[in-house]
Structures are given as C-alpha cells and as structure tokens.
C-alpha cells in the first residue's frame, strides 16, 4: 500500500509548488549585479535599435543580444515585449511633458512658446524617430480597449492635449491666437512634426540628399512654425463687403 504523506511532508510539497512560478524571476534577478540597472539597459537598447532602424521591427532576442542581458529579464521586468514598449513610451513621454510644463511657465509670448514647442517636438522625434509610430502601434489594436492603449492615452495623449490647450488659451487671452479646437490642433501638429521622419526614405528617393540632417531639421522647424503661426494668428484681414446686388432697371429708365 502507498504511504500517506505526513502533514509536514505535504506542507513542504505545497511550499515547493508555490515557489516554482517564481523560479524564472529568481534566475533573472541573480543574473544581474546589484549595482546595475538592467531595466534601464533594456529600455535604452530598444530605443537605440529602433532609432537606428527608424522602425519598430525589433525582436526580444535582438534587444537581449545588444544589451548583453538574458532575455528572461524582459519577462521579469515587463511581462512581454508589449510591456517593454509601453514602459519605453512612458519614460520618453515623461521627458516631453515636463518640457512643455516648463515652457508654459516661461515669461515669454504665446507665439514664442509655440515656436519652442514645435522645436521641442521635432527635436524629440529627431532623437527618437520611433516614438509617435510606436504610440500609434500600441493604440491601434483591434480591441476597442486594451491595457496598453489606456496607458498610452493616460500618460501621454491626454496630458499633452491638456497642456497644448493651455498654450492655445494663453494665446487667445493675449490676443495673438484665434480659437481653435485643441484635439484637432494636437492631431495636426503631431502629424506634421513626425512626418518628416516617417517620410524620410520617400524624400530621399525623390529629392536625394543625406536625409534628415541638422540643417534640414532646423529648416523644418521654421517651416512648421510659419504654417501654424499664420494659421493661428488673430490678425486676419477683414472680409471685403459683399457686392450689392444690381438693381433692376425701372420701366421709366428703360423708356
């Protein structure tokens, strides 16, 4: 007959089973020196690879290889690749949002704040050309609501819209801007700032050259600012009065 395990043996067996799911986490943790931030290393590596390739096609194995870390660390810190990408957007978004918050408090005109805001977005995409496309990739799911989409909306889209709305309101109060819809402004401005990098290969095939150089970036900042400031400027010429309809000749005049 098989022996019935004692209460102490059963307790030890249950403890062993409970500890099994955490084994990968213990292995991943043990593979990292105490003074090394592996989480930041993985984020930096993913950012660098996507920046170099100007695209999102980066695998976990490539991130692990270029970072010199075990791929099990991705699961340990982020759960999966999508979790890593969401964390990367959160990190990058925090930098951009802090820049805009600081900009709103400066003692300069709303028009100058707009110029600096446009320059900040374009320079940010110049350093991280993957960022806008990565956000849209995470937002563009077949499911209407996903955890990733809600996170991106919460940490970047809504906060940036609100900050831009404050900038637009400052311009209206100062008499420099006409009222516009903040949501449409957000979509229009982000799309314009990003498209220089999204269309870089098409531009190279059409006009040639070395792509988006520092000189091209500076010219594009001035170009986008010129378009938006003229669209927002509250100094539109008064509309010419409509011509008066010609009076019909009277019967007496015709005679």
């Amino acid at each position: 007959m098989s022996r019935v395990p004692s209460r102490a043996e059963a307790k030890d067996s249950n403890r062993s089973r409970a500890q099994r799911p955490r084994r990968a986490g213990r292995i991943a943790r043990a593979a990292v020196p105490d003074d090394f931030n592996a989480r930041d290393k993985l984020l930096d590596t993913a950012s660098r690879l996507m920046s170099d390739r100007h695209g999102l096609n980066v695998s976990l194995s490539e991130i692990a290889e270029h970072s010199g870390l075990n791929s099990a660390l991705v699961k340990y810190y982020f759960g999966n690749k999508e979790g890593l990408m969401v964390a990367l957007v959160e990190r990058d978004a925090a930098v951009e949002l802090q820049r805009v918050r600081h900009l709103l408090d400066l003692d300069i005109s709303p028009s100058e704040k707009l110029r600096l805001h446009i320059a900040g977005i374009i320079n940010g995409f110049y350093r991280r050309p993957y960022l806008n496309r990565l956000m849209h990739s995470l937002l563009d799911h077949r499911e209407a609501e996903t955890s990733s989409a809600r996170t991106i909306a919460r940490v970047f889209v809504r906060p940036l819209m609100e900050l831009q709305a404050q900038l637009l309101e400052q311009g209206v109060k100062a008499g420099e801007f006409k009222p516009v819809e903040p949501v449409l402004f957000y979509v229009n401005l982000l799309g314009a700032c990003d498209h220089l990098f999204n269309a870089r290969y098409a531009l190279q095939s059409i006009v040639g050259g070395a792509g988006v150089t520092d000189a091209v970036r500076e010219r594009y900042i001035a170009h986008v600012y010129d378009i938006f400031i003229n669209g927002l400027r509250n100094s539109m010429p008064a509309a010419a009065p409509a011509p008066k309809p010609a009076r019909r000749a009277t019967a007496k005049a015709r005679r």
Side-chain angles (χ1 to χ4, degrees):
M1 294 178 62
S2 60
R3 185 175 67 86
V4 177
S6 67
R7 183 175 300 178
E9 290 173 331
K11 186 176 180 180
D12 290 340
S13 177
N14 290 336
R15 184 185 297 114
S16 177
R17 284 196 296 270
Q19 290 175 343
R20 284 172 196 163
R22 293 181 296 202
R23 185 182 178 193
R26 291 201 307 272
I27 292 173
R29 190 187 302 114
V32 183
D34 293 337
D35 60 347
F36 185 79
N37 193 331
R39 186 180 189 277
D40 286 346
K41 180 70 172 178
L42 291 167
L43 292 174
D44 289 341
T45 302
S47 175
R48 186 179 70 253
L49 288 173
M50 289 191 292
S51 295
D52 291 345
R53 298 176 184 183
H54 296 277
L56 309 180
N57 188 22
V58 177
S59 68
L60 288 182
S61 60
E62 288 175 315
I63 295 172
E65 178 184 354
H66 285 80
S67 66
L69 297 173
N70 193 315
S71 59
L73 287 169
V74 173
K75 186 173 183 180
Y76 174 71
Y77 285 112
F78 308 105
N80 52 31
K81 180 182 177 182
E82 184 170 316
L84 186 152
M85 295 301 164
V86 171
L88 182 59
V89 171
E90 288 188 82
R91 188 191 71 169
D92 293 347
V95 175
E96 300 303 324
L97 292 174
Q98 183 57 36
R99 183 179 292 112
V100 182
R101 291 189 186 98
H102 173 71
L103 182 63
L104 290 174
D105 294 333
L106 294 179
D107 187 19
I108 55 178
S109 70
S111 296
E112 179 63 9
K113 290 180 182 180
L114 176 64
R115 187 188 69 79
L116 293 175
H117 180 44
I118 290 173
I121 295 174
I122 293 175
N123 289 334
F125 287 158
Y126 183 71
R127 292 187 296 269
R128 294 177 288 272
Y130 60 83
L131 182 56
N132 199 37
R133 275 164 284 164
L134 177 57
M135 286 191 297
H136 283 290
S137 174
L138 293 169
L139 288 166
D140 186 22
H141 286 277
R142 295 292 175 239
E143 299 84 2
E145 285 288 329
T146 66
S147 174
S148 298
R150 288 193 298 270
T151 299
I152 301 305
R154 174 178 55 82
V155 303
F156 187 79
V157 177
R158 291 194 191 99
L160 183 56
M161 281 186 185
E162 291 169 0
L163 292 170
Q164 288 181 341
Q166 293 178 41
L167 173 56
L168 294 171
E169 185 179 0
Q170 289 181 3
V172 171
K173 287 182 177 179
E176 297 180 25
F177 300 163
K178 62 184 179 183
V180 296
E181 292 185 48
V183 173
L184 299 184
F185 177 82
Y186 166 86
V187 173
N188 195 192
L189 182 59
L190 267 289
C193 291
D194 175 63
H195 199 62
L196 175 67
F197 308 99
N198 199 20
R200 60 185 293 126
Y201 295 118
L203 290 173
Q204 283 180 256
S205 64
I206 295 171
V207 300
V212 184
T213 63
D214 284 340
V216 171
R217 175 175 54 84
E218 292 293 339
R219 281 164 36 212
Y220 194 65
I221 290 171
H223 172 75
V224 173
Y225 173 71
D226 183 65
I227 290 174
F228 275 85
I229 194 61
N230 282 299
L232 288 170
R233 190 167 285 148
N234 192 22
S235 59
M236 303 297 289
K244 295 181 180 179
R247 294 181 178 178
R248 296 180 62 183
T250 63
K252 184 176 180 180
R254 287 198 297 271
R255 291 196 297 268

